Amino acid sequence: MMRLADVFRYSLQSMLGHRGRTLLILLAMAIGVAAVVVLTALGEGARLYVLKQFTTLGSHMIIVLPGRSETSGGAPPLLGEIPRDLTIDDALALYQSHAVNNVAPVVIGSAPVSWQAREREVLVLGTTAEMEQVRQLTLARGKFISTNGPHRGAAVCVIGHTLRKELFGNQQALGQWLRIGERRFRVIGELAQQSHSLGTDIGDLVIIPVASAQALFNTESLFRILIQAKGRDSIAPAKQAVEEIIRKRHDGENDITVITQDSILATFDRIFTALTFAIAAIAAISLAVAGILIMNVMLIAISQRTAEIGLLKALGASDTEIMLLFMSEAGLLSLCGGLAGLALGVGSNLLLNQTFSDFSIIAPTWASLGGLGLALLTGILFGYIPARRAAHLKPVEALTRRR
Amino acid sequence: MIELTNINRNFEVGEETVHALRDINLNIDAGEYISIMGPSGSGKSTLLNILGLLDQPSSGDYRFNSQAVNQLADDEQAQVRREHIGFVFQFFHLIPRLSAIDNVALPLTLAGIVPETRNQKAKAAMQALGIADRATHRPDQLSGGQRQRVAIARAMITEPQLILADEPTGNLDRASGHEVIEALEGLNQKGITLIIVTHDPALGQRACRRLNMDDGKIVSDLNS
């Protein structure tokens, strides 16, 4: 039996002896593997980007919405249920739970904001000092609205980065009096420029004390309550405690919806992981195409090399040896193509990373190894048919066929 | 060494059956020098292919060293070829991308011999044929005569009992042809059985035993 080292040497010499053919196969294989590596890296990058966006929402956050938005079994209620409003006292009651660190009640509305002749319709967010902690807000200048009892309003406000630019331009904003609706508020702080967090532009808004917002929009109810749990482990107990406390306060009715950041995160995580796999599968098709190319080129190679195969048989090569020679050639071709593709893919990822700096594009290890493995597998799989044909050639037919 | 009994070889060409060999009976002893001559289509190449186990007879019995080789499986026949038979072809059949010495050593490479041993043997064989200085040349850098001597070195490297040559000088000029024939006859003098198929009567006359074929039959079998 032929030595394995000699088998590989022979295959290598054959690859070098047919450069055009070899380059063609290498190119096809490389593109296939590179596609897998780059596309999965993009999918993975998108997933990580979304995860990062979620953590900028604030850590260990729980959101409480009024109204039950859950499908449950049983007959529908005869009368349309009107959910009870959430109030500031509901929010304050949540501090009873040890799992809760901070509670920020939120009232949201839209109102015209003006300074001197400039006016702008922006989002008005009524909340308490705790919001700074819960949403991890950073201030560029001044201070955040302070806690002097959530029931007491104060004529102060914190403005977003965009709003400051639009209203004040290059002028000093701190200490100026803004008109919001029919009321006047003094600017005590400016938010630092932050990235969008999931669609909410926190640059173009004004933050005022929650009681002032209730007065401004003439409402008693809260839009939602944001809660910061003590830690990652206390998210679940906090959620349970919140439901319990509100149920007690609302005459035993489950009329709120509690969303944890984790559950949203997990959903997005699942969606993006599925997406990455789908992209990888599409990329794998290009590998299969490369495999078919290998098969065709090997079949052509065999018809060009029948005389060589006949000679090898005349010199005493067994069918197994001929098979081995052609399989190893297909295997080596796909391995080299795969490695080239890996290099190409990793290179493109580095380049993409430099172009889009806040979007990290790194192929997961499973994709790189999987791409390489798949390349090898298709090469060997599609190399099998031509190799078998070569092995079963009759020596006399192979030898007497003239080129 | 070789006993052929009632060997027939038929080819199906369309709906016709062509009888390439008809009831061939032939005994060959070890060390003989035989030429096979005859017009085109007389079956001499087919006979040579059957002797070399490159082709199967349609019927009949072929014994090589008393072994019924036509009943062996493909891989067992490959082993007989590898161990006992060397081939020299009209079109040389060298592998273009391999150096001369690698071409010569190829049968040993296929047999799994380690590089040191096979290179040593290949060098010795090339030395014996006067082409040792061409070891690293590739076939396309060699003359026709040199190529055929590389092919002969390849045929003799496994120290076979039988060398089969199909028109070995068919593609060579007179001078190189002469060198090639002398190389083959040199092997015969060392005891290797040599069978040459040729069109060339001058070449055929040199053999000790001359077979003449026509229409698939041996029509004369002369010893001198």
Side-chain angles (χ1 to χ4, degrees):
Chain A
M1 195 64 195
M2 206 168 163
R3 295 161 75 247
L4 219 54
D6 287 328
V7 171
F8 284 127
R9 203 166 73 103
Y10 192 88
S11 307
L12 220 61
Q13 278 167 333
S14 163
M15 282 163 66
L16 290 174
H18 304 85
R19 294 228 170 84
R21 176 172 76 84
T22 304
L23 281 178
L24 198 71
I25 294 186
L26 287 186
L27 189 69
M29 221 53 196
I31 289 174
V33 173
V36 170
V37 171
V38 171
L39 289 179
T40 49
L42 283 174
E44 190 70 3
R47 190 175 72 89
L48 292 176
Y49 180 76
V50 168
L51 292 191
K52 206 175 91 189
Q53 285 293 300
F54 261 96
T55 45
T56 61
L57 264 181
S59 52
H60 323 311
M61 196 165 71
I62 301 170
I63 302 164
V64 182
L65 312 171
R68 188 91 197 140
S69 65
E70 192 184 71
T71 314
S72 52
L78 285 176
L79 297 167
E81 250 182 290
I82 298 166
R84 248 164 279 250
D85 289 339
L86 284 171
T87 63
I88 291 179
D89 289 325
D90 285 339
L92 290 177
L94 297 179
Y95 277 116
Q96 291 166 16
S97 164
H98 292 294
V100 169
N101 202 14
N102 281 307
V103 176
V106 174
V107 170
I108 274 183
S110 182
V113 174
S114 59
W115 181 68
Q116 292 178 351
R118 296 185 190 169
E119 188 177 278
R120 194 173 166 79
E121 183 90 11
V122 296
L123 198 68
V124 178
L125 182 78
T127 186
T128 57
E130 283 81 359
M131 184 57 123
E132 191 182 0
Q133 283 299 314
V134 176
R135 282 290 301 262
Q136 316 246 293
L137 300 172
T138 37
L139 289 171
R141 274 181 215 92
K143 54 185 176 26
F144 203 69
I145 53 175
S146 60
T147 322
N148 50 357
H151 286 294
R152 287 172 55 195
V156 292
C157 67
V158 173
I159 58 176
H161 168 79
T162 317
L163 182 62
R164 193 201 72 80
K165 230 171 44 190
E166 293 294 332
L167 284 187
F168 297 99
N170 290 327
Q171 296 176 59
Q172 168 84 352
L174 282 184
Q176 301 288 342
W177 286 85
L178 280 184
R179 176 171 288 278
I180 304 176
E182 298 302 313
R183 290 152 192 271
R184 278 156 56 82
F185 292 84
R186 189 165 58 89
V187 178
I188 59 166
E190 293 168 20
L191 290 178
Q193 189 172 8
Q194 265 173 317
S195 54
H196 291 232
S197 46
L198 280 180
T200 320
D201 183 359
I202 62 167
D204 206 10
L205 91 175
V206 53
I207 300 173
I208 58 176
V210 64
S212 309
Q214 283 179 326
L216 185 69
F217 298 119
N218 191 22
T219 174
E220 279 297 308
S221 65
L222 297 178
F223 176 66
R224 58 190 52 173
I225 303 172
L226 301 186
I227 297 159
Q228 187 183 34
K230 281 245 161 63
R232 207 180 164 75
D233 297 336
S234 43
I235 291 176
K239 182 183 174 191
Q240 218 169 5
V242 165
E243 281 172 340
E244 204 144 310
I245 291 164
I246 302 289
R247 186 167 63 236
K248 260 184 213 152
R249 294 177 56 83
H250 289 188
D251 306 326
E253 292 283 345
N254 260 330
D255 59 358
I256 56 163
T257 302
V258 181
I259 302 168
T260 59
Q261 198 181 350
D262 274 14
S263 66
I264 305 173
L265 209 67
T267 308
F268 269 89
D269 203 31
R270 275 201 300 278
I271 292 170
F272 274 91
T273 307
L275 215 67
T276 306
F277 273 113
I279 293 170
I282 293 167
I285 292 173
S286 61
L287 271 182
V289 172
I292 290 169
L293 185 79
I294 286 199
M295 180 168 72
N296 287 335
V297 175
M298 290 302 281
L299 282 173
I300 295 167
I302 282 164
S303 55
Q304 285 172 342
R305 282 160 66 184
T306 43
E308 181 185 325
I309 295 162
L311 171 74
L312 292 176
K313 289 203 152 189
L315 297 181
S318 62
D319 289 5
T320 327
E321 279 174 322
I322 304 275
M323 188 96 187
L324 198 65
L325 283 175
F326 278 87
M327 293 287 279
S328 92
E329 196 171 325
L332 274 180
L333 277 170
S334 48
L335 182 70
C336 293
L339 286 174
L342 206 59
L344 192 69
V346 170
S348 325
N349 284 350
L350 284 177
L351 210 70
L352 282 170
N353 257 327
Q354 288 196 335
T355 322
F356 309 103
S357 51
D358 60 343
F359 198 81
S360 79
I361 298 162
I362 294 164
T365 322
W366 64 260
S368 307
L369 293 181
L372 198 62
L374 208 61
L376 209 57
L377 195 73
T378 46
I380 289 170
L381 216 63
F382 287 107
Y384 176 77
I385 297 165
R388 210 185 48 176
R389 172 180 287 192
H392 290 319
L393 278 174
K394 288 261 165 270
V396 64
E397 285 168 21
L399 268 175
T400 49
R401 208 178 293 172
R402 302 278 150 77
R403 297 176 190 215
Chain B
M1 184 175 74
I2 289 172
E3 297 158 59
L4 297 181
T5 319
N6 295 327
I7 292 286
N8 281 284
R9 180 67 173 103
N10 308 325
F11 294 103
E12 305 291 328
V13 178
E15 300 201 339
E16 264 178 273
T17 304
V18 177
H19 299 277
L21 294 178
R22 302 166 191 257
D23 287 324
I24 299 285
N25 290 290
L26 182 64
N27 287 324
I28 297 171
D29 293 328
E32 278 197 87
Y33 176 12
I34 300 174
S35 67
I36 304 175
M37 287 190 289
S40 294
S42 60
K44 53 192 193 307
S45 285
T46 308
L47 179 59
L48 196 76
N49 287 335
I50 284 178
L51 286 171
L53 294 171
L54 297 176
D55 198 5
Q56 298 290 322
S58 307
S59 67
D61 188 36
Y62 175 13
R63 286 177 185 272
F64 187 90
N65 292 336
S66 309
Q67 190 186 16
V69 284
N70 59 330
Q71 283 157 27
L72 295 176
D74 284 0
D75 282 0
E76 290 169 319
Q77 290 192 345
Q79 193 187 346
V80 173
R81 285 198 296 270
R82 185 164 66 225
E83 288 172 1
H84 303 299
I85 305 174
F87 294 90
V88 176
F89 306 98
Q90 179 180 0
F91 296 101
F92 321 131
H93 282 296
L94 301 176
I95 292 182
R97 57 179 181 275
L98 299 183
S99 65
I101 191 165
D102 282 348
N103 265 296
V104 171
L106 191 56
L108 298 180
T109 309
L110 289 170
I113 309 292
V114 293
E116 297 78 50
T117 319
R118 65 181 193 235
N119 282 337
Q120 204 182 339
K121 284 190 174 182
K123 258 180 213 151
M126 294 178 83
Q127 195 89 52
L129 292 169
I131 44 170
D133 56 333
R134 295 285 184 266
T136 56
H137 289 52
R138 278 210 305 276
D140 56 7
Q141 297 164 317
L142 299 175
S143 72
Q146 288 167 338
R147 285 184 210 183
Q148 197 58 301
R149 278 183 285 168
V150 169
I152 294 170
R154 181 180 65 193
M156 64 184 269
I157 196 164
T158 51
E159 295 161 15
Q161 289 173 277
L162 172 64
I163 285 186
L164 302 172
D166 192 355
E167 304 273 9
T169 60
N171 264 23
L172 300 176
D173 58 40
R174 186 173 294 271
S176 340
H178 197 73
E179 287 172 0
V180 163
I181 283 303
E182 285 189 334
L184 286 170
E185 287 173 351
L187 294 177
N188 176 246
Q189 275 150 27
K190 285 181 197 151
I192 300 174
T193 312
L194 176 64
I195 302 177
I196 295 178
V197 162
T198 183
H199 268 107
D200 180 359
L203 179 53
Q205 290 305 321
R206 295 173 68 110
C208 312
R209 184 176 171 192
R210 298 174 295 280
L211 301 180
N212 231 307
M213 291 189 71
D214 194 18
D215 198 24
K217 291 182 195 145
I218 297 173
V219 289
S220 70
D221 182 351
L222 299 172
N223 270 296
S224 58

